[in-house]
Amino acid sequence: MILPTKAVASQELTVKRKLSENTLQVQASSPVALGVRIPTVAVHMTELFDTTVDQLYSIFTVKDLVQKFSKSPAILEAEKGGRFQMFDGNITGEYIELLTNRKIIMKWRCRNWPEEHYATVALSFVPTLGRTELQLDCKGVPVCKEENMRSCWQKQHFEEIKGLLQPTTLSG
């Protein structure tokens, strides 16, 4: 019987480690990930809102407010590990981290993305002279969906939230 040398055993361990790292990058939610690697991009956007940090943070964590800006029923469990579903099920995911009035990190998926593919969306809330800057950092967006993602955030989130923040809308 011939035993493998240390060099061969080390190579096998390195290959296994690289395979497991690649697997985890494909789908971080599952220890045994199957699927196809797809080319992805990162999307960064910033937007100023005429409101306080706590009010803007609430718009992303309070079910009634999410339903108002999305104009559709929503499922929202705003806690670590909690699930969400918005825009008639077109957006689904899970809250990874919530730092009250500072940051929300979510595992995020659009219905028309490749099966079981999620991006990581981080929303940072930065107070500025009587306003709040929202910084969106999204990693793992399929390349073919980049423009669609930017457009959806601009029109369906930012513009709708600004409409919701009009004095008569939010109180009524």
Side-chain angles (χ1 to χ4, degrees):
M1 181 165 114
I2 300 173
L3 296 174
T5 64
K6 280 187 178 181
V8 170
S10 177
Q11 278 182 329
E12 288 175 2
L13 182 60
T14 302
V15 168
K16 285 180 185 174
R17 187 175 295 133
K18 283 187 178 177
L19 283 174
S20 73
E21 288 171 358
N22 288 343
T23 300
L24 291 175
Q25 289 174 357
V26 173
Q27 181 185 358
S29 66
S30 171
V32 179
L34 301 173
V36 178
R37 282 172 71 60
I38 60 171
T40 62
V41 295
V43 172
H44 177 77
M45 298 172 73
T46 60
E47 191 75 20
L48 277 174
F49 293 89
D50 292 323
T51 190
T52 61
V53 169
D54 59 324
Q55 192 171 33
L56 186 58
Y57 182 89
S58 294
I59 288 174
F60 288 95
T61 57
V62 175
K63 181 179 175 178
D64 290 343
L65 296 176
V66 169
Q67 291 181 148
K68 279 186 180 180
F69 87 75
S70 68
K71 298 177 180 162
S72 63
I75 297 170
L76 209 65
E77 301 164 354
E79 60 189 35
K80 185 175 182 169
R83 301 228 171 249
F84 62 85
Q85 181 176 318
M86 300 182 277
F87 297 101
D88 293 323
N90 286 310
I91 303 295
T92 56
E94 178 181 322
Y95 290 99
I96 296 170
E97 185 176 6
L98 292 103
L99 300 172
T100 305
N101 297 335
R102 291 189 327 214
K103 190 172 213 163
I104 299 171
I105 301 175
M106 303 170 276
K107 191 170 87 170
W108 179 277
R109 181 177 196 291
C110 294
R111 179 182 282 163
N112 64 357
W113 285 7
E115 195 68 30
E116 297 300 316
H117 179 79
Y118 287 85
T120 301
V121 171
L123 300 173
S124 299
F125 301 84
V126 181
T128 61
L129 302 172
R131 301 167 92 187
T132 301
E133 180 181 89
L134 179 65
Q135 298 173 352
L136 165 75
D137 286 297
C138 186
K139 295 176 183 168
V141 177
V143 169
C144 62
K145 302 295 182 183
E146 177 183 6
E147 285 308 311
N148 182 260
M149 182 78 159
R150 287 180 186 279
S151 175
C152 287
W153 271 97
Q154 188 63 48
K155 290 181 171 62
Q156 295 175 345
H157 285 81
F158 299 161
E159 289 176 18
E160 292 297 330
I161 289 169
K162 285 180 177 184
L164 178 65
L165 290 171
Q166 297 301 317
T168 55
T169 310
L170 198 55
S171 61

